[in-house]
Amino acid sequence: KQNSKGYAMKLMKSDTTKILEEARSIQKKFSPFITLPEKIEPNPKKGLLSGIVISVKDNICTKGIQTTAGSRILQNYTPPFNATCVERILDAGGVILGKTAMDEFGFGTFSVNCAYGIPKNPLDISRSCGGSSGGASCLTASADFPHIALAESTGGSISCPAAFTGTVGLTPTYGLVSRWGLIDYANSLDKIGCIGKSVYDV
């Protein structure tokens, strides 16, 4: 079992090709993704997140990567811009891995309402990953590579899936993280946060 500091040191030595191969393997077993690109490029920018891959919940806009909010209504919608939080991740050296499964437009607590497939709990595939950020928690629990999931919560959609999968979720105070580029469920309640393997990573 790795301690938090050891895991963080591993984050700096990411191999994007191997990570993408492992992500595809995880997708076949547990279905955490809605969209997984053909390739991911290392980010030349240096910063706090250098070498770390970040998955993004599918209601947060990503330039050039399909963003559906878990709904067929938005199938093939490719934003021409990044959400502010995604732009800040890229500025800090992070690498965007793919878009994770969620209940359609965030309506749900178990991630069973996703139009593109239901993520399976890596601890027990017969059980739910929680929701609506179920894909984010599924990937975090199953990935061995350095990873942090960008997620979003309206009324428990980060803490619930983190609890269901034995991961760590952080739901920031409303308004602390910019919601520009988020496909809202409830504008006066939505918070963008993250899910990681440990408190240190989060």
Side-chain angles (χ1 to χ4, degrees), residues 54-63 65-70 77 79 81-87 89 96 98-100 102 133 136 149-153 158 177-184 191-194:
I54 313 288
S55 64
V56 181
K57 186 174 178 178
D58 205 39
N59 60 348
I60 300 170
C61 288
T62 41
K63 185 177 180 178
I65 305 174
Q66 176 181 252
T67 300
T68 72
Y77 170 59
F81 62 92
N82 284 319
T84 298
C85 57
V86 172
E87 201 63 39
I89 284 168
I96 303 303
K99 306 304 289 292
T100 53
M102 58 177 288
S133 305
L150 197 61
E152 173 273 335
S153 174
I158 292 175
V177 177
S178 170
R179 289 173 295 109
W180 193 87
L182 171 69
I183 299 171
D184 285 306
K191 290 84 60 181
I192 294 175
C194 56

Side-chain angles (χ1 to χ4, degrees), residues 7-14 43-54 87-95 146-148 194 200-202:
Y7 183 70
M9 289 174 69
K10 181 184 174 188
L11 299 182
M12 304 308 292
K13 301 174 183 176
S14 302
N43 187 343
K45 293 183 179 178
K46 301 298 180 186
L48 186 63
L49 299 177
S50 292
I52 303 174
V53 291
I54 313 288
E87 201 63 39
R88 287 179 177 170
I89 284 168
L90 295 172
D91 287 343
V95 176
H147 163 260
I148 297 167
C194 56
Y200 183 92
D201 293 335
V202 168

